[in-house]
Amino acid sequence: MKKILNGILLAVLLIIFLYSCSNISTAPSIIPPDPIGTTKPSIATYSEGEIYGSIDLNPSLLPIAVPEYVKFRISLPDISEISAANLRVFEDNKEQGVMLYKESSIAKKIDIAVILDVTGSMENAIDGLKNSIIDFANTLSESGMDVRIAIIPFGDYVNPPSDTIPELDPPYLNLTTPANAKEYVEYKLDASGGGDGPENPYDAIYVAAKELTWRSDAQKFMILITDAPAHYPDDYSDYAHYSKNDLKPLLKGYFTLHSVIVPSWWYSPDTSDFSSPDDVRELSTTTGGLILYTDNSGNVDLTALGIIEYIESSWIVAFESNSSAEEHTIEAFFEKGEIKRYLKLENVEY
C-alpha cells in the first residue's frame, strides 16, 4: 500500500512540475550527433561584424538530455529568427551537433548592477551620469521585461565609498525596481572626496557578484562607470582585496560586464591595450561586454549597450564536448540568405 501511495505522490508531483514548466520553450532537449567528415568553411567569405558571443555557465532553463554539455550565447542584433540550420559550430576544429534555442522565449528577466565611481574627480560628470542612469532606467521600465537594478557606489572603499565621503544609507542598493533605483541615484548620490588617483572598482565588482540577490533565471549584467584606474592588491596601497585576474573566473560565463568610461588622461578612447593590472576595460572584453565613453559632462546613452536588443536577439547554443584540451576555441559560422557572419571565442574554459 505504501508503494502505491508513493507512486501516486510521484505522479502528482510530476504533473505539477510539467504544468509549472508549460511556458518553457519547445526547443529539443536532445543534442544531435556531430556531423561526420565535414570541413570548416572559408573564413574569408564571412564577416566578423554584427555577431557577438560568450560562454554561458549559468544553469540552463531547459532540461537537456546530455549531462555534460557546453553552452554559449550568440547574439545577432538585427536578426529576429534563426534555426540550427543557419549555424555551424566547431570546437577545436571539429564540427559539433548543436541544440539552439532562444532564452527570451522562456524568461525575459534582466538583473543589472550599476557600479559607480562617486569620488571628487567625477564631480563634473556626476550630474550627466545620474541623468543618463535615470533615462536608462525609464527605458528599461518601458521595455515590458522584468527588470531589477542595483546601484553600488565606490571610491577607495566600497562601504563607505571613500574615507572622506559620509557613509550612505543604505551603502548600496540591492537589486530592486527601476523606480527605486532612480530614487537612490537622484537623492543619495553625489561626487566628492577620494584620496589618490586610483579607485577600487575591483572590490566593488566582487561585492556586486557575491552580495547582490541575483535571480537564477535572469540574464545578469554589470555596468561599471569610472574615470580612474583601479587599485589592486600588489600596488602601493592597501585598499584593494581583489585583482582583475581574481575576478575573471568569478565573472566569465556568469555576467556580462560593460565599461562606461569618463575620458581622462588614464583612459583614452584611442587605447586598445587593456592588459595593465589597473585597467578595468579588460573585464569587458573578457566577459563579452562593450566599452562606452561619455562626453566631458558624463552624458552617455546607456541604451547603446544594447541590453534589451541583446536579449531579444540572442540564442543559446549547446553542444556535447569531445575535446580533452584545457582551453578551447569555439567558432560559429552563421549563414542566412546573403548574410554570413563569423564568431571566434578563444581560450575558453568549461
Side-chain angles (χ1 to χ4, degrees):
M1 183 65 178
K2 186 176 180 180
K3 290 183 177 179
I4 295 174
L5 291 175
N6 287 338
I8 293 172
L9 177 60
L10 288 172
V12 170
L13 291 174
L14 179 60
I15 291 170
I16 293 172
F17 173 77
L18 291 174
Y19 179 78
S20 68
C21 296
S22 60
N23 64 335
I24 288 180
S25 168
T26 56
S29 61
I30 298 176
I31 297 174
D34 297 343
I36 298 174
T38 61
T39 58
K40 284 195 301 185
S42 170
I43 299 173
T45 63
Y46 287 75
S47 166
E48 295 188 43
E50 297 301 307
I51 182 169
Y52 308 98
S54 59
I55 196 71
D56 192 321
L57 301 178
N58 287 298
S60 177
L61 298 182
L62 283 181
I64 298 177
V66 177
E68 298 290 337
Y69 58 89
V70 178
K71 185 161 63 83
F72 71 97
R73 186 182 302 277
I74 189 170
S75 179
L76 298 144
D78 56 347
I79 305 294
S80 59
E81 294 297 334
I82 67 173
S83 70
N86 300 122
L87 194 67
R88 296 180 67 186
V89 174
F90 290 79
E91 178 199 39
D92 300 333
N93 295 314
K94 185 180 185 305
E95 187 163 10
Q96 303 296 308
V98 299
M99 187 183 87
L100 178 75
Y101 63 94
K102 197 169 186 177
E103 198 168 47
S104 64
S105 64
I106 305 170
K108 293 188 177 183
K109 294 184 179 180
I110 310 173
D111 286 350
I112 302 173
V114 178
I115 305 167
L116 177 63
D117 182 344
V118 293
T119 53
S121 64
M122 298 283 281
E123 184 175 7
N124 293 331
I126 194 67
D127 287 340
L129 286 167
K130 288 168 65 172
N131 290 333
S132 297
I133 294 169
I134 290 169
D135 289 344
F136 183 53
N138 287 332
T139 300
L140 293 171
S141 296
E142 296 164 1
S143 69
M145 294 188 177
D146 182 356
V147 180
R148 295 290 180 269
I149 303 174
I151 309 293
I152 300 183
F154 72 92
D156 286 325
Y157 301 93
V158 182
N159 178 24
S162 145
D163 54 347
T164 59
I165 296 176
E167 186 167 355
L168 291 166
D169 183 21
Y172 62 83
L173 189 68
N174 207 334
L175 289 156
T176 184
T177 64
N180 288 340
K182 288 191 298 179
E183 183 177 353
Y184 185 86
V185 168
E186 184 171 2
Y187 297 110
K188 296 284 188 180
L189 300 186
D190 203 353
S192 63
D196 52 4
E199 308 303 346
N200 198 358
Y202 296 153
D203 279 20
I205 292 168
Y206 183 88
V207 168
K210 301 296 286 187
E211 300 297 329
L212 299 182
T213 53
W214 301 95
R215 294 176 293 180
S216 61
D217 56 347
Q219 296 192 36
K220 304 170 184 65
F221 299 88
M222 297 184 188
I223 302 175
L224 173 66
I225 305 175
T226 187
D227 68 340
H231 280 302
Y232 53 95
D234 296 330
D235 70 2
Y236 58 87
S237 74
D238 293 323
Y239 292 121
H241 299 86
Y242 303 98
S243 69
K244 185 160 54 176
N245 287 334
D246 292 331
L247 294 176
K248 287 178 181 177
L250 189 66
L251 300 177
K252 195 173 181 180
Y254 299 101
F255 302 93
T256 300
L257 186 144
H258 300 295
S259 294
V260 176
I261 304 297
V262 180
S264 63
W265 70 272
W266 287 296
Y267 287 129
S268 168
D270 299 326
T271 305
S272 58
D273 181 3
F274 310 141
S275 60
S276 173
D278 61 357
D279 194 327
V280 300
R281 293 172 291 183
E282 187 181 0
L283 291 177
S284 292
T285 59
T286 298
T287 61
L290 301 181
I291 301 170
L292 295 184
Y293 296 89
T294 74
D295 65 15
N296 291 331
S297 299
N299 298 300
V300 61
D301 181 8
L302 294 176
T303 64
L305 295 172
I307 289 177
I308 295 173
E309 294 81 1
Y310 178 79
I311 291 174
E312 292 179 338
S313 63
S314 68
W315 289 263
I316 294 294
V317 184
F319 64 88
E320 186 177 6
S321 175
N322 47 25
S323 172
S324 59
E326 293 184 2
E327 294 186 339
H328 306 270
T329 298
I330 298 174
E331 295 171 279
F333 296 82
F334 172 77
E335 184 171 354
K336 186 175 183 180
E338 299 297 319
I339 302 173
K340 299 176 71 174
R341 297 173 186 171
Y342 170 71
L343 172 70
K344 186 175 186 179
L345 303 177
E346 297 183 279
N347 304 317
V348 174
E349 298 180 9
Y350 306 150

